Amino acid sequence: RSMSVVAIIPAAGTGIRMGGGTPKQFLSLDGVPIFVHTLRKFAASAAIDEIFLGVRPEEMDRASQEISKENLAKTVRVFAGGASRQETVARCLDEASPETEVVVVHDAVRPFVDLAMIRQIVDAARRDGAVILAIPSVDTVKKVERLTITGTIPRERIVLAQTPQAFRYTILRKAFDRALAEGYYGTDESSLVEHDGHDVKVLMGSDRNIKITKPSDLPLARLFIAQEREHARAEG
């Protein structure tokens, strides 16, 4: 079918919060880089047709080598990312065929997304046009100015955004074109689509769908990997 679903995995970040010389997406988890665990999920998903990985230009060879060791069920196309996440996703989006139906964007450092979530968000994007995964905030959220609280935001009005975020291609393309024209910068794809005046729906994410951004995230990630392996063994 020509109307395909493309997954864009931006992995061009520098991972400064991690410290050390290795960008976080290349940090090893269970013997392979974190981004490879993420790619495995998308390669295993029947809802995804194509996978685009955006990495820093100097890491393209390294990323390609890691992928070639994997024998994934789908081809992963590696592209040079930009200075920001938005630029990286924009470059990958430029490579997608205009015939694309749905674009799914997912953080390279969220390796615990599950196949049911991927399927669910693709179906929801077909139906609603724009949708993200998010979880309720368990913490009270404060607005501050120079470290003084200026207000408390009711928790029931807050969700914490995760990825995947999925959009009809036409909606995301239009949002990116507008952002570029207006010099608008957003921290995720949803913010660009919101800026373009389109409603974005929220699907319930998962506490397990963690973003590995700092050293203290690694022990939990190792636990989740062990649990996944145990689960696979029980099923197999």
Side-chain angles (χ1 to χ4, degrees), residues 112-123:
F112 302 108
V113 59
D114 65 43
L115 298 183
M117 277 182 211
I118 297 172
R119 160 67 64 196
Q120 219 183 343
I121 201 151
V122 168
D123 289 345

Side-chain angles (χ1 to χ4, degrees), residues 138-226:
V138 291
D139 299 313
T140 297
V141 181
K142 302 288 188 183
K143 277 178 21 180
V144 293
E145 207 167 302
R146 296 194 196 85
L147 299 182
T148 301
I149 293 169
T150 59
T152 300
I153 303 167
R155 244 186 347 206
E156 58 278 10
R157 297 191 54 190
I158 292 284
V159 293
L160 307 177
Q162 297 186 336
T163 67
Q165 303 192 347
F167 311 90
R168 267 192 235 121
Y169 171 84
T170 45
I171 291 170
L172 192 61
R173 178 78 271 177
K174 190 165 156 290
F176 265 89
D177 290 346
R178 176 168 178 179
L180 185 64
E182 297 180 2
Y184 178 81
Y185 179 76
T187 50
D188 67 355
E189 293 65 48
S190 168
S191 51
L192 304 191
V193 172
E194 293 158 41
H195 178 73
D196 195 37
H198 200 287
D199 283 349
V200 180
K201 298 276 194 232
V202 173
L203 278 184
M204 180 60 76
S206 160
D207 289 336
R208 291 179 69 89
N209 187 23
I210 60 168
K211 188 175 185 180
I212 303 171
T213 57
K214 52 192 190 301
S216 59
D217 297 330
L218 287 168
L220 185 57
R222 290 189 193 104
L223 172 70
F224 285 171
I225 285 278

Side-chain angles (χ1 to χ4, degrees), residues 54-75:
V55 297
R56 289 196 289 176
E58 63 272 25
E59 282 157 2
M60 288 178 73
D61 288 346
R62 183 179 174 189
S64 298
Q65 278 167 358
E66 292 291 353
I67 292 164
S68 66
K69 293 179 200 165
E70 274 296 300
N71 200 14
L72 293 169
K74 295 185 176 77
T75 305

Side-chain angles (χ1 to χ4, degrees), residues 63-96:
S64 298
Q65 278 167 358
E66 292 291 353
I67 292 164
S68 66
K69 293 179 200 165
E70 274 296 300
N71 200 14
L72 293 169
K74 295 185 176 77
T75 305
V76 177
R77 295 172 61 190
V78 181
F79 298 107
S84 65
R85 176 201 175 94
Q86 189 166 317
E87 206 181 317
T88 298
V89 174
R91 288 183 182 187
C92 290
L93 194 57
D94 288 344
E95 300 291 339

Side-chain angles (χ1 to χ4, degrees), residues 1-7 46-50 96-103 119 122 125-126 167-171:
R1 64 206 168 101
S2 59
M3 298 299 272
S4 67
V5 178
V6 172
I48 302 294
D49 298 308
E50 293 184 272
S97 153
E99 296 292 294
T100 304
E101 183 186 14
V102 169
V103 178
R119 160 67 64 196
V122 168
R126 281 201 175 99
F167 311 90
R168 267 192 235 121
Y169 171 84
T170 45
I171 291 170

Side-chain angles (χ1 to χ4, degrees), residues 31-53:
V32 299
I34 293 170
F35 80 91
V36 170
H37 289 279
T38 304
L39 290 176
R40 285 174 180 171
K41 296 287 175 69
F42 282 84
S45 168
I48 302 294
D49 298 308
E50 293 184 272
I51 302 171
F52 294 175
L53 179 72

